[in-house]
Amino acid sequence: MPAERRSARGRSAVGRFPSVTFGFGEDTEAEKEEPKENNVKKGNACKEWLRKVCPCCCPKHDDGIDTEVTLVDGPGKEDGGNGEKPVPGDKELDVLLKVKSIDLLKSKSGANRTEHHTHLYQSDNLIIRRGQSFEMWITLSRPFNPSSDELHLDLKTGPLAVVAKGTHVIIPLVAKLEGDRWEAAVVKQEDKKIKLLVNSPATAVIGRYQLTVETNNQNGSASSTHDPANDIYILFNPWCQDDIVYMDSEDERQEYILNDTGRIYYGTKDQIGARTWNYGQFSDRILAACLFVMEKSGTSPSGWGDPVNVVRIISAMVNSPDDQGVLEGNWSGDYSNGTSPTVWSGSVEILEEYHKKNGTPVKYGQCWVFAGVVTTVLRCLGIPTRTVTNFSSAHDTDVSLTTDVYLDENLEPIENLNVDSIWNFHVWNDCWMARKDLPPGHGGWQAVDATPQETSQGTYCCGPASLAAVRYGQVYLKRDTAFVFAEVNSDKIYWQKNADGTFTQIYSEKKIVGISISTKAVGSNERSDITHLYKHPEGSNEERIAVETACSFGSKAKAYSSPTAQDVSLEVTLDGEGPKMGKDAELMITLKNSSSQQRSVSLHSQVSVMYYTGVHKATVRTDTTDIEVLPNEGEWSISFWMTFFHQQDHKAYLTNLEMLSALSGAHTLYPYIFPVNLHCICPIKPKKG
């Protein structure tokens, strides 16, 4: 054990008076060895001269990490500041602090990888999830002195890293970690080695970060050079309650993040088949390929912290018509220039080929291939995702929210007008996230479709569309909710041409679109029917209200117009200061009839429990009440009492009240939808998952 050397001025003076120190004990072997030259170009005469004049300030060294050094000039630098030469035995306390090596503890079986649920990735890099801490060791040229030395980590991602945009991160050392921000703390020190615990926020940009370590003291600053082996991959974190993609069920996380195989359904509603698909999101080079797809999109990495942006980018990049994406679609039946879509049995070969050929689209794909690749990419990046098949799936081409068939005067099809279609089956994806850009209650599963059918804002992509919005016909909510609604719940309407060139609706079919919507069940290979998540029971009042509400925003709104005036209003109020945890809240619903006739109203109410992120958890109660509202400002009111409560393991709840009311006149029925959201956020914050 080498003897400890102490400065005559104590630790608080170290580095302030580098020339006046005293050595106690024997020099250690490390102190006797002069490091070899590092990061010094041959032929640099100035640096060679400086090394000869002052070898302690500009030594030759043999660090494991290349270090860039910046010296601080000052009076008496060459002779120690008081005319005396530095004492060789005290060199360790007055030279620059440099990084010799970095150990990211990136073993697949180590704590970093296992606690972050990234141990399955076949990669030797450090792969972590945001919103969670990780550990690392740094070996320095001498012991770290917190009273005189400064150290910080520097992370950069993307082609032009900017601090303000979250792509250049400077991580300071702090005395105590506070969480939910970039920070690091020394948790252990062993001579010249320090162990850091590093925090990342749950909103961090995902991607590949370049790591360097910078040090600074009175004598100058030093920075390690970038080593690709020390790049850090940061992913979304469905285990972290503060992450937008948080999913509370471990069984579902195992299925929708960690399961690398699945089943994709095809066929017809009467004869459903299944095929096994190898997602392979943990295979070697697949993470790099997925990030390559993101980079090829040309989007700024500053937006990659938002899963809404990421899934929309992937929806666009998995097809190729306008951005040279991963797959080229082909429905011609001629696949001689590539691979038939039916031959593919997994995503790995497709993504590897796309990456290897530097972004040349792979030939060929159809809907189930597009969807399989999307599942691979999003699960790889940390977003819970599943592959979904819709049988009797409609394709609406004119935003009418209906599937239209045009006939001439003789009831013969008008081929050039009949561009809408109904497919035997169509495959897309659901991904899980909160939707802070939408009203509360619209988080949870979101539909994403990478098959190039119609453009969205000029690009062939679709989603993410909230399944809650689709279910209630709220097609005015982004993204591409109208298109997804038409796929699962549009009516098929037959139009006949009149002599004057106009068209009249002659017939409609209301129960032929969106049947047996299917996905693989959690934890088994059974088929799970999730139609109820996309639509109310076919033919129910709620389903009809959703259809008619959606169509009122379509290009053929008059197809569902009603002669009844919209003269009944609904108002929801809450008495007092609002809901409080553990106490009752009284909710008042008031209907007012401004017409001169009595109105019959059917009021459908539903109370749901939601997380603070807006993700639906469960339905508490539903109710239907028939009401007669008197004319001429006649009013009708009803009160609801609800108790707000907190349950351990849940950060917060929102209580959502959705009103569906149908107002009827003498001979006609006109639908309304009134979404009303009442929320209460719980201040109790449990431990992070």
Side-chain angles (χ1 to χ4, degrees), residues 173-211:
L173 286 187
V174 297
K176 182 179 180 181
L177 297 179
E178 296 183 6
D180 199 30
R181 65 175 184 175
W182 285 108
E183 56 186 354
V186 177
V187 294
K188 191 174 185 180
Q189 183 166 357
E190 296 179 355
D191 193 26
K192 300 177 183 180
K193 295 175 62 177
I194 58 173
K195 188 176 187 180
L196 301 184
L197 185 63
V198 185
N199 261 356
S200 65
T203 56
V205 170
I206 62 111
R208 178 174 179 169
Y209 285 79
Q210 297 179 356
L211 169 67

Side-chain angles (χ1 to χ4, degrees), residues 134 149 309 333 397 576:
F134 65 95
D149 296 324
N309 292 338
T397 60

Side-chain angles (χ1 to χ4, degrees), residues 22 33 63 70 95 105 113 160 207 214 221 226 234 261 264 310 448 476 478 503 560 563 585 626 669:
F22 300 93
E33 293 179 5
D63 294 346
T70 303
V95 298
L105 304 175
R113 296 283 295 269
L160 185 62
E214 297 187 11
S221 60
H226 168 240
I234 298 182
T261 60
I264 300 178
V310 171
V448 181
Y476 46 84
K478 56 186 181 182
F503 287 86
Y560 287 97
D626 293 325
L669 181 69

Side-chain angles (χ1 to χ4, degrees), residues 31 206 313 378 442 511 551 684:
E31 293 158 0
I206 62 111
I313 291 168
L378 295 185
H442 292 88
K511 300 181 180 181
C551 289
I684 301 175

Side-chain angles (χ1 to χ4, degrees), residues 218-443:
Q218 288 283 12
N219 296 305
S221 60
S223 175
S224 65
T225 57
H226 168 240
D227 181 1
N230 287 330
D231 285 351
I232 299 176
Y233 291 83
I234 298 182
L235 310 177
F236 292 105
N237 192 354
W239 282 268
C240 173
Q241 292 190 7
D242 293 326
D243 199 311
I244 294 177
V245 302
Y246 171 68
M247 178 174 269
D248 68 333
S249 168
E250 179 60 26
D251 289 341
E252 291 184 337
R253 290 192 293 248
Q254 292 290 326
E255 180 68 47
Y256 300 130
I257 289 289
L258 301 182
N259 194 351
D260 59 358
T261 60
R263 292 172 73 81
I264 300 178
Y265 298 94
Y266 65 95
T268 68
K269 61 184 178 62
D270 299 315
Q271 192 172 10
I272 298 175
R275 63 187 305 156
T276 300
W277 193 266
N278 175 31
Y279 297 121
Q281 67 267 32
F282 305 119
S283 299
D284 189 24
R285 299 186 297 274
I286 291 301
L287 176 56
C290 293
L291 292 176
F292 174 75
V293 173
M294 293 289 293
E295 293 166 2
K296 287 290 288 184
S297 71
T299 58
S300 171
S302 62
W304 295 2
D306 186 350
V308 174
N309 292 338
V310 171
V311 300
R312 192 159 175 82
I313 291 168
I314 295 304
S315 170
M317 284 301 300
V318 168
N319 63 65
S320 64
D322 46 22
D323 47 23
Q324 291 294 292
V326 177
L327 275 166
E328 180 178 328
N330 188 342
W331 289 265
S332 69
D334 179 8
Y335 312 116
S336 56
N337 292 326
T339 301
S340 169
T342 58
V343 172
W344 301 114
S345 60
S347 309
V348 174
E349 186 178 352
I350 295 170
L351 288 167
E352 285 183 342
E353 181 178 339
Y354 181 72
H355 193 191
K356 182 179 180 181
K357 293 184 177 180
N358 198 32
T360 300
V362 178
K363 300 178 179 180
Y364 294 104
Q366 291 184 8
C367 64
W368 68 90
V369 187
F370 290 113
V373 172
V374 168
T375 298
T376 297
V377 175
L378 295 185
R379 286 187 184 181
C380 184
L381 298 179
I383 300 176
T385 308
R386 62 189 182 190
T387 307
V388 174
T389 302
N390 178 37
F391 293 94
S392 295
S393 186
H395 179 182
D396 175 30
T397 60
D398 60 358
V399 202
S400 66
L401 286 307
T402 57
T403 303
D404 301 304
V405 179
Y406 293 94
L407 308 173
D408 62 18
E409 295 88 337
N410 299 318
L411 298 181
E412 294 294 331
I414 304 176
E415 297 299 339
N416 64 306
L417 296 181
N418 291 330
V419 290
D420 289 353
S421 59
I422 298 178
W423 301 11
N424 284 343
F425 73 97
H426 181 48
V427 187
W428 62 72
N429 302 89
D430 285 346
C431 55
W432 180 272
M433 67 186 70
R435 291 297 299 271
K436 295 185 178 180
D437 57 329
L438 299 180
H442 292 88

